[in-house]
Structure formats: C-alpha cells, structure tokens
Amino acid sequence: RKEVEQDPGPFNVPEGATVAFNCTYSNSASQSFFWYRQDCRKEPKLLMSVYSSGNEDGRFTAQLNRASQYISLLIRDSKLSDSATYLCVVNIYNTDKLIFGTGTRLQVFP
Amino acid sequence: DVKVTQSSRYLVKRTGEKVFLECVQDMDHENMFWYRQDPGLGLRLIYFSYDVKMKEKGDIPEGYSVSREKKERFSLILESASTNQTSMYLCASSPVGVGNSPLHFGNGTRLTVT
C-alpha cells in the first residue's frame, strides 16, 4: 500500500464549479500536511499547509481528519487557471522526510 | 524570492556515462534535496543534505551519489547512467524543518539515458 494515496483523476469541471479532492495517508506518525500545485511541465509549488482545525485561503479550503487519516482540498468557483496537478504531501513526525502523493489532475473548462 | 537553479533543463546521455546534475540556491537554506519524478510514482527522494559536506540517503539512493561542498550548491551524480534512470530530476531547498517550511523547487532537469 502506498504511504500517500490520491485519485489520479482527471477531474474535468466547468468554470465556477466546486471540486474536492481527498488524499489518504497510512502512517499514523504523520504530523504535517500540505497541498502542492504542479502546473504542466513545471516544478511543484506550495499551495497551502493543512492545519488540524482546517484552514481556508481564498477559494481554497483544506481539511484534516486524523481519525480516518485523510486530508482534503476544496476549490470553490473554479477558474481556468486552477487547471493543474494537486499533490498531497505528508511529513512524518521527527523526520525531515516529505512523502508525496502521485497527484490529482484537475482540468477546468470554459 | 527564493531561486533554485538547475544547470540543465534537458539532458541526453548514453548508458554508462557519468552524469552530473547541478543545483544552486540563493537563499542560504540549510536543507537541500534531490527528487526524481516518474509518472504513476510521484516524487521520490534520492538524497538530501542538512549542511555542507553532510548527506543522507533518501528512499531510492542506489545508483546515485551527491556532493555538497558549498552551502548553496548540491550536486547529484549518476556514476554510470542506466536507462532506468531516465526521469525528471528536481532539486529543492528549505530553510530548516520541512515540517514547518515549504520546499522551493528548481524547474527540473529531464534526463534521457539512451
């Protein structure tokens, strides 16, 4: 079983739609969680950290469910520019290791 | 703005060649990392370094070595390139503690070994 699992997609949604991605992790010692965004043929960039109480950054909302070991990313009012691959990333307690999921591809169409 | 620069965007090498991938960061970050990214496998950590002359194996170090002689520079070396090392290689840096600070990636080197 992969340490971090994501649905690869693609998720094809119209502009203005709300879309959500989940990511499950297997190591209960995971302590920090992130969403990175990777545009086609570009490097990954941090989108947002995920906090225990959930957090929002504009149209993006991240949630953490430790009991069920998953994190989620909700995008409201999708824009064409949101088209990218979204990587779920987990840091294991007391290590400097980041475990990357394989990513979920989002395609927003007009 | 943090800048992580990888020396080559595209590289084609022959089987058995020794290959050097260079990475330089300009923000005085302590940590530097080398990943490879393959379809369906995501990013996998090859090696990382906490400080000058220090290195730690990641998840897939076999067939690779690294060098960090200066804080800003982290080199990945393929001692004898093989076709299964054809991949996208990404260098990254972070100040300290990846649990609390983001990784800053270079724009990648796409290596093809023929």
Side-chain angles (χ1 to χ4, degrees), chain B residues 2-3 11 39 47 50 53 56 58 71 94 102:
Chain B
V2 177
K3 193 154 175 129
L11 213 50
Y47 267 97
Y50 290 119
K53 296 197 187 294
E56 298 280 345
K71 192 174 185 180
S94 73

Side-chain angles (χ1 to χ4, degrees), chain A residues 27-100:
Chain A
N27 191 331
S28 58
S30 302
Q31 70 162 3
S32 303
F33 307 88
F34 310 90
W35 285 101
Y36 277 69
R37 171 195 167 125
Q38 186 171 24
D39 293 311
C40 189
R41 302 185 194 282
K42 300 277 192 177
E43 72 276 18
K45 292 185 180 179
L46 179 68
L47 177 67
M48 59 196 300
S49 302
V50 185
Y51 302 123
S52 295
S53 54
N55 49 297
E56 198 172 295
D57 183 1
R59 297 181 294 109
F60 298 84
T61 301
Q63 298 275 358
L64 167 64
N65 185 319
R66 283 193 187 272
S68 301
Q69 295 189 189
Y70 76 85
I71 68 171
S72 63
L73 178 68
L74 180 82
I75 306 175
R76 288 182 299 278
D77 189 23
S78 297
K79 311 289 184 195
L80 295 175
S81 58
D82 293 334
S83 297
T85 297
Y86 291 84
L87 305 173
C88 170
V89 186
V90 171
N91 171 233
I92 309 300
Y93 175 73
N94 215 27
T95 75
D96 267 322
K97 277 187 70 172
L98 286 179
I99 312 295
F100 284 79

Side-chain angles (χ1 to χ4, degrees), chain B residues 54-71:
Chain B
M54 296 189 68
K55 60 186 179 184
E56 298 280 345
K57 290 181 180 180
D59 298 315
I60 52 163
E62 297 79 18
Y64 303 95
S65 62
V66 290
S67 171
R68 194 163 180 204
E69 296 295 318
K70 293 185 178 181
K71 192 174 185 180

Side-chain angles (χ1 to χ4, degrees), chain B residues 48-86:
Chain B
F48 61 105
S49 169
Y50 290 119
D51 202 351
V52 176
K53 296 197 187 294
M54 296 189 68
K55 60 186 179 184
E56 298 280 345
K57 290 181 180 180
D59 298 315
I60 52 163
E62 297 79 18
Y64 303 95
S65 62
V66 290
S67 171
R68 194 163 180 204
E69 296 295 318
K70 293 185 178 181
K71 192 174 185 180
E72 67 270 19
R73 186 180 295 269
F74 192 35
S75 303
L76 180 70
I77 303 150
L78 285 67
E79 296 291 342
S80 176
S82 63
T83 54
N84 64 11
Q85 292 178 311
T86 292

